[in-house]
Amino acid sequence: MNVTVLKFGGSNFRHPEDFGRVARHLAKRLAAGENKIVAVVSAMAGTTDNLKTVMLGVNKQAKPSNLDAALATGEMLSACLLEAAVSRQGIPVMSLNGYSLGICTNSDFGRASIESVNPSSIIAALQENDIVIATGGQAIDQSGRLTFLGRNSSDLTAIVIASMLGERSCEIYSDVPGVYTADPYLVPGARLIPKIAYGTIARMSRYGAKVLHHRAVEYAEKNSVTIACKSLTSDGVVSGTIVTGHGNAPSVTLARDAAVLSCGSLAERNKLRALLDQQDISAICTEDNRGAGICILSDVDFALRIVALTGNRSVSVGSRTAVTELGSSTLRIHLEDDYTRAVSRAREIHERIYPGTDGKPVAPRAAKQCSAHSSLLIGTNDAPENTQ
């Protein structure tokens, strides 16, 4: 069965009418001759953070399994809305969520790891429908409980589905058409990278780049799935970066709200670092006038849960902005208390790496806003950004 797998991040769904725009794009793809389509969706921009805020407002000690089930409803809502929009186009369509996708994980709630896949339910849905909408970032464990694959993990769901269906490519749609040498919303002259190696973008992701999830990239490399990064605009599709086996470029990443753990001693820090390494969490050792510490730039929520489970009360948790300079043989991390200063440092580093690129950011700042509708749907007005 010839299937096209596409993933639409939360930035594609800022307004209810955006579901119609995506549905029309899918209809055009079918009209152009494509056979079947699986569209993986994220929650509307801001929804995941809002859901978490509401849950913790009800119970600050909510069980991880309870929290996972709540956060998954954001993607479920997106899937229902896109199914409705596609159905309005007169196209046979069905949506599937984590309970029926055929993806089984362990029970590490908050960032579960995939253990097995079974494509039978998706194949059955495709036999009866031209388009299947799949919820991103969720699966079930061996007991049938819903599990969350981690923040911004809809990429991973899309890559897994492409692989399990025997497809060798997957299209990822976000608010930028590809991978840049820095955040194009913040850094003037950030350059689009046309081709990039799996290892390079996975490393960028672990140190703060948001375009692709590092576990999705690693799964794609392991299963030989090529990733095509694109953007759906009012003028049509803009193609950007191809992620494959080759391609490299120095880059600067900026991770706002990086977690900084202050430890009582070097021995304590090294023990904690080893624990995080066992969980495949990238942790950087730091030493400054505040003492020995660890900086975590990705999988932060899951990492903090692991640290809390140790029961070590001598570890204090703070938040800073991390600016990372990445090259083939370079890794330099700068921690800043002030976000504006961090942005300035990122621009300075990028200008040093790519002279003559100073100017205005290449994309409008407004594009980074979250959806106003996500807060209305779940009853909170505090809607931080989610670009999953």
Side-chain angles (χ1 to χ4, degrees), residues 207-352:
Y207 289 104
K210 300 297 185 184
V211 176
L212 291 170
H213 192 278
H214 62 87
R215 291 207 296 165
V217 176
E218 290 158 2
Y219 197 98
E221 181 176 22
K222 182 179 178 181
N223 293 277
S224 302
V225 176
T226 298
I227 304 173
C229 300
K230 301 184 178 184
S231 181
L232 184 61
T233 71
S234 56
D235 296 324
V237 175
V238 178
S239 297
T241 302
I242 299 296
V243 182
T244 183
H246 307 283
N248 190 19
S251 63
V252 181
T253 65
L254 190 147
R256 194 170 190 174
D257 299 326
V260 179
L261 313 181
S262 297
C263 305
S265 66
L266 285 173
E268 185 178 76
R269 183 193 66 184
N270 293 339
K271 182 178 179 180
L272 191 57
R273 167 73 184 274
L275 175 63
L276 294 172
D277 282 347
Q278 290 174 5
Q279 298 293 330
D280 191 32
I281 296 171
S282 297
I284 302 102
C285 292
T286 64
E287 288 184 39
D288 54 22
N289 55 7
R290 310 181 193 199
I294 291 176
C295 180
I296 303 168
L297 300 115
S298 59
D299 299 315
V300 173
D301 290 349
F302 185 67
L304 294 182
R305 185 180 299 172
I306 295 297
V307 172
L309 289 174
T310 66
N312 190 336
R313 297 182 178 273
S314 65
V315 176
S316 61
V317 180
S319 178
R320 301 174 77 183
T321 299
V323 179
T324 306
E325 179 182 349
L326 291 163
S328 57
S329 59
T330 305
L331 173 59
R332 297 190 184 95
I333 297 177
H334 309 270
L335 296 177
E336 299 284 353
D337 294 312
D338 181 71
Y339 178 68
T340 301
R341 173 57 192 152
V343 173
S344 296
R345 184 183 284 271
R347 291 176 175 179
E348 291 167 3
I349 295 172
H350 191 269
E351 171 65 16
R352 171 168 50 79

Side-chain angles (χ1 to χ4, degrees), residues 35 59 90 105 107 122 133 156 168 185 193 204 271 324 343:
N35 184 27
N59 180 3
T105 70
S107 300
I122 296 179
I133 314 299
L156 177 57
R168 288 291 167 254
Y185 292 103
I193 306 172
M204 290 172 64
K271 182 178 179 180
T324 306
V343 173

